[in-house]
Structure formats: C-alpha cells, structure tokens
Amino acid sequence: MHAKQTNVHGLDHVGLKNLREIHWNLPMARLVQQAIERHEGVIAKDGPLVVKTGVHTGRSAGDKFIVREPSVDRHIWWDNNKAMSPAHFDTLLNSFRSYAQGRDIFVQDLFGGADPTHRLPVRVIGELAWHSLFAQHLLIEPTIGERQAFDPGFTIIDFPGFQADPAMHGTASGTVIAVSFERKLVLIGGTSYAGEIKKSVFTILNYLLPPKNVMPMHCSVNVGTAKESAIFFGLSGTGKTTLSADPNRTLIGDDEHGWAENGVFNFEGGCYAKMIRLSPEAEPEIFATTKRFGTVLENVVINEETRELDLDDASLAENSRGAYPISYIPNASKTGTTGHPSNIVMLTADAFGVLPPIAKLTPSQAMYHFLSGFTAKVAGTEKGLGKEPQPTFSTCFGAPFMPRHPTEYGNLLRSLIAEHKVDCWLVNTGWTGGAFGTGSRMPIKVTRALLSAALEGTLKTAEMRIDPHFGFEVPVSVPGIDDKILNPRETWEDKTAYDRQAIKLVSMFRDNFKKFEAHVGPDVKAAAPKLAQAAE
C-alpha cells in the first residue's frame, strides 16, 4: 500500500524498492499522530511531542565521512574530514536499500535556504515519523506548486535502526553519516539524534555556496527597527539562540545562514534550541514553544502520569533540545531574509574568566577570532570533562560542518566585512570574577545591555582601552553597567592569579593558530594575542 505520491520524481533514483507504505509530505498534525500511533513518543501536557533519542543525545562527529570522489577531492579539507572510499559508499547504499525493503517510509521535500537564487532542494527519506516532522520544522516547506515539480538536488536517507558494519562499510562503528557530493546523497544510520539531518544540509551548503561567493555561516541573525541586521557567531552553549531571540528585534534565524549579493538569508525554517534549565524569565519566547502543539522535545524528562515537563532534569541528556517552526517565535521574520549586516558578534563562553564582556575588533582581529572559534566547556556539559575548563577551538565557529579549508570561509567573510563596512564585536557570555568554580556566570542582563549598546551604535562613541593581552578595544564605561565588570582583572580578588590565567589562555590561542599562519596575511598574524607580562 502506498500513500499518494505528491510529485513527479519518485524514489527510484535512489534505488529504494519493495517498500511497505510511503508517506509523502504529511502535514504536521498527521506526523504527530503517526509518531504517537507508532509509539515513537508521547504528548506532553501542553501539546509538544516528547521523544527519546537513546544512546546518541548529540552529534556523532567521529562517525561522519565525506566520500573521496575525484571531482571533490582537491576541494575538501581532509585534515578535518574523514574520508570514505566510493566502493565502501556503494556497499553502504546497497545495505540501506536492503534495510528499507518492507518498511514504512516517510518523505519530506523541502528547501535549504530562504533565498530562491541560492536555495537547495532537499528530499529527506526516513523511517521515523518524528524525524520527518523534525525535518519539516527545520527546513523550509515548498508551496504546493513547487512541491509538485520538486526535483531533489540532494537526498538524505535517514535510518536510525540501521547498524553499519565497520568491516563491510569502512565505518568507525555501527553509526554512520556519509556524504557523497558526486552522488548528491547523504546516508545516516545508527543514530536517532535528529540534529544529524539538519547538520547534513548545512555541510552540503558549506560546500556548494563559497564558489558562488556566498558565505555560509553557523550563526543566528536578527534585525532592529531601523532594518539594521546583526550576525551572531557562536558555538553551542554560548547564547547564540538565546541572545538572538530578542523581543525588540526581528529574528531571521537562530543557527545557519548565508550571506549573498542581496544580503543575509536563513538556511532553515525553524529553530533547534537547547532546553536544559530553560528559563521563562530569561528566554520567554523559547520557553513558550514548550507549550505548543507540534514542537518536538528531544530527551526532555516528562512525568508519565501528569505529562508535566521537567526542563531542569538532565538525567536523559545535558543536551536536551526543542525543534519548532520559526513561526512559533512571535517576532520572527516571515521571509527569512534581510539586508547586509551592520554588526557581527562573535560569542564565546570563556570559562577561564579572562575575556571582557565585550570588545571591539578590527577586521584583522575579526578574521583571527573567526578562524580561532574559541569557547570553553565545563564539567557537566559533556562526558569525560574534569573539573578544569576545557578550551574548544572550532574554526569558523563550526568546524564539524566545514568541508572546505577554513581560510576559504575566512577570506570570504573578510571581504564582505570590508565591502559593507561591518562593525565586529567579541562578546564573552562565560565567567567573571574568576574562572569556572570560583567566579560566576556573566549576568545575562549585562550581556543584553552591552549588546544593545553595540547594535544601536552607542558603543562606537564610548571611551575605549586597549586590552594588554588581546589588543582589542574594550569600553571603559557604559551607562547602567558597573565599570568593574568591563575589566576582567578588576573582578578577580587575586590579580596575580588573573595574570597567570590570562597568559595561559593567550598561549592556548597562539598554539591553536599555528596551523593557520601559513594561510593568512601578516595583519591577521599580527592580530594574535601577545604573551604580555602581568598587567600593571
């Protein structure tokens, strides 16, 4: 039995045959119903669908591969991407085809990219109704006319129940994410973490767009009342989603965007927000999505009797997530597009307590910090982390999704910054008054106030000091903010301990950047922090 096919291009092009039932482009309510009937999840008190992803509660970075094909080989940054042979990929694809036989299949035809000139038609084929719903939320739904003539540029086959065989398929484990740019095909198996779907689309766009002079970015974007837009780069846990969901600004998107000739556009049609310890006071717009029908909540703890959510309970995952259409955010853009940005904000959660809450960057410093992609992780956020903060340098604020060499993205960003005269800022949402364990988390009210001053333009005229280690400009005083918090050294009781910590962090930056030195100009190398002696 097959549900009605809704366009002229079937599944023969990927060799899926002898399927039980094909569910083509089901709408949200029907997907929720299917998920419940198939026991994939439960409905919480206020309507969201709550699911568990099992052993994988985050991405499986060590299980992701790019197929080493002749046409793409020289364009891939192989130092950062694991290779799979075409022969192994062919064997894997045949195994996927065998696995699919006799199963129910869910298909969604969607777009990656809100700009019609640069969007990518993506077909997502899978065995779980809730994964199909996730894809529908996170990507962009075509119109009825577009769907009838839909011709997939790339196809993602997503089978969480499939287990790869390392000996047969050339994988590292039973889990696999394999991207073939020649075959225009992604195979995902052995993981129920739905984020692999959206990040596969991001990886594809990160490969396809730079040759078109379009900058793909792991960032959120919002727009002020004067139509000036801001880009927020940041790794997980730095506040990218939280800070871009500003009731006074229109949200373009919270995670992935492109910067093209006409401005910035969202790659996605939804949001994928962290739910753990979500605060109705600090993040009211995101919190409200946990009470909406259709929101998908991954690994959020629920009381089986009352169906009440406990967003503070991390027993299933520290990385609990919510996926919802961007229309669930009240002030979200309906078009997903905006003009060229006025400001770029690079977010970091410095658990070493060294970086100031905000700093202004020169274009050379902006490229240095973009290529560095620094944040710090602390105990509790990931398995195996000890008591000391762990530095994380993820180049371009998204290394796992970058098929090309980082300097390709860095040079493209730098030229766009120069062309459009964009102001660049580094914002520390991490620790103040000491490192993690001694100091405290930067108050979100301080971060929001400083961001507002930067985005509204008032920080441009503020008195600035030069940071003795990092060389960037730091405001001396901002109305409504305690001057002391603007100078990290002054917030530490033990000034000598701060100096030691600062020199330690500078060394980490310099050591990490050595791999880029041969690829950047002297001005970017000169933007590196200095191993200064203890500040006066």
Side-chain angles (χ1 to χ4, degrees):
M1 177 182 172
H2 288 62
K4 184 184 175 187
Q5 185 173 321
T6 53
N7 67 57
V8 295
H9 299 278
L11 302 185
D12 290 347
H13 73 294
V14 290
L16 295 184
K17 298 174 181 175
N18 303 320
L19 306 173
R20 182 171 176 267
E21 184 168 2
I22 305 174
H23 302 277
W24 285 91
N25 295 309
L26 295 187
M28 179 169 68
R30 288 188 64 192
L31 285 169
V32 172
Q33 183 179 345
Q34 284 281 342
I36 297 302
E37 290 176 355
R38 294 159 57 88
H39 306 291
E40 294 176 6
V42 297
I43 295 286
K45 178 179 170 233
D46 296 302
L49 176 67
V50 182
V51 298
K52 295 177 183 177
T53 63
V55 65
H56 294 288
T57 59
R59 290 182 302 101
S60 301
D63 294 304
K64 183 177 178 181
F65 299 85
I66 291 176
V67 183
R68 196 157 202 157
E69 297 155 322
S71 63
V72 302
D73 197 339
R74 65 189 178 91
H75 302 296
I76 303 298
W77 179 33
W78 290 114
D79 290 349
N80 184 63
N81 293 278
K82 297 174 76 171
M84 174 178 280
S85 71
H88 275 137
F89 186 81
D90 287 342
T91 304
L92 183 66
L93 177 56
N94 284 331
S95 296
F96 267 58
R97 288 166 174 162
S98 298
Y99 177 87
Q101 294 193 34
R103 295 181 187 273
D104 290 348
I105 294 296
F106 294 85
V107 183
Q108 287 287 328
D109 290 330
L110 304 158
F111 289 119
D115 184 333
T117 308
H118 302 294
R119 70 188 182 188
L120 175 72
V122 181
R123 172 166 291 165
V124 181
I125 301 167
E127 62 178 323
L128 293 179
W130 82 260
H131 272 204
S132 199
L133 178 60
F134 174 93
Q136 187 182 86
H137 286 344
L138 266 297
L139 295 172
I140 297 168
E141 289 198 78
T143 63
I144 293 172
E146 289 170 337
R147 189 161 265 163
Q148 287 172 341
F150 193 90
D151 187 5
F154 263 77
T155 299
I156 297 171
I157 305 179
D158 167 52
F159 292 157
F162 175 87
Q163 285 292 307
D165 179 342
M168 183 190 300
H169 302 120
T171 59
S173 72
T175 300
V176 62
I177 303 97
V179 183
S180 168
F181 288 112
E182 278 192 5
R183 303 281 285 273
K184 296 180 168 43
L185 193 56
V186 181
L187 304 178
I188 303 173
T191 173
S192 295
Y193 180 68
E196 300 287 10
I197 299 170
K198 85 181 214 89
K199 289 306 183 188
S200 293
V201 176
F202 188 38
T203 299
I204 295 163
L205 290 168
N206 280 332
Y207 180 77
L208 296 178
L209 292 180
K212 298 166 71 176
N213 283 322
V214 178
M215 175 69 189
M217 302 175 293
H218 186 211
C219 69
S220 55
V221 176
N222 65 22
V223 186
T225 51
K227 302 300 180 189
E228 80 295 352
S229 62
I231 290 171
F232 298 79
F233 288 108
L235 299 171
S236 180
T238 58
K240 184 161 49 72
T241 298
T242 298
L243 292 170
S244 58
D246 183 333
N248 300 312
R249 296 173 66 87
T250 300
L251 179 69
I252 301 299
D254 82 326
D255 198 41
E256 299 166 8
H257 294 78
W259 187 355
E261 64 277 7
N262 296 320
V264 177
F265 63 98
N266 194 357
F267 286 168
E268 302 183 311
C271 302
Y272 193 36
K274 278 198 164 192
M275 290 287 139
I276 195 68
R277 293 177 286 278
L278 192 68
S279 161
E281 292 76 33
E283 298 122 340
E285 293 85 6
I286 301 171
F287 185 84
T289 68
T290 67
K291 300 179 181 298
R292 293 288 299 269
F293 176 79
T295 291
V296 178
L297 297 177
E298 291 181 352
N299 303 312
V300 170
V301 173
I302 181 173
N303 184 305
E304 292 295 335
E305 294 301 319
T306 65
R307 299 298 172 97
E308 294 271 5
L309 301 172
D310 186 349
L311 298 176
D312 295 329
D313 189 334
S315 58
L316 289 177
E318 183 73 26
N319 189 38
S320 57
R321 293 270 178 170
Y324 47 88
I326 198 167
S327 59
Y328 282 13
I329 300 295
N331 57 329
S333 165
K334 289 181 172 59
T335 65
T337 61
T338 185
H340 298 289
S342 305
N343 290 278
I344 287 175
V345 178
M346 298 183 189
L347 299 166
T348 181
D350 173 23
F352 297 94
V354 170
L355 294 175
I358 196 164
K360 192 168 191 306
L361 305 176
T362 66
S364 300
Q365 288 169 341
M367 186 167 175
Y368 180 91
H369 285 277
F370 180 70
L371 289 175
S372 296
F374 167 72
T375 193
K377 293 178 179 175
V378 297
T381 57
E382 283 187 12
K383 290 179 182 176
L385 289 177
K387 293 180 181 179
E388 288 293 310
Q390 297 297 313
T392 299
F393 291 93
S394 186
T395 186
C396 307
F397 295 96
F401 325 115
M402 301 294 168
R404 297 175 178 272
H405 195 276
T407 50
E408 276 198 60
Y409 307 104
N411 286 325
L412 189 49
L413 180 67
R414 186 180 183 182
S415 66
L416 286 164
I417 288 170
E419 182 182 349
H420 300 288
K421 299 179 173 58
V422 185
D423 289 319
C424 299
W425 309 88
L426 184 72
V427 170
N428 174 22
T429 61
W431 272 254
T432 180
F436 171 77
T438 304
S440 55
R441 195 76 192 251
M442 192 73 68
I444 193 166
K445 287 183 179 178
V446 170
T447 302
R448 286 197 186 278
L450 291 171
L451 263 180
S452 294
L455 302 186
E456 290 164 9
T458 56
L459 265 195
K460 282 202 225 181
T461 57
E463 180 189 351
M464 297 281 189
R465 66 178 178 87
I466 301 296
D467 184 274
H469 296 287
F470 284 84
F472 41 48
E473 292 186 326
V474 180
V476 174
S477 181
V478 176
I481 302 292
D482 183 355
D483 290 355
K484 191 176 173 183
I485 206 169
L486 295 169
N487 188 341
R489 190 172 188 266
E490 292 304 308
T491 67
W492 283 53
E493 284 188 24
D494 186 340
K495 305 293 190 283
T496 306
Y498 170 83
D499 295 333
R500 285 196 303 269
Q501 188 84 320
I503 290 170
K504 179 179 170 184
L505 184 59
V506 166
S507 297
M508 292 173 183
F509 266 89
R510 294 176 69 89
D511 289 345
N512 171 72
F513 204 79
K514 285 175 183 174
K515 58 182 175 283
F516 300 125
E517 287 179 350
H519 303 278
V520 299
D523 61 316
V524 178
K525 281 191 271 192
K530 306 295 186 287
L531 286 167
Q533 296 302 309
E536 292 298 318

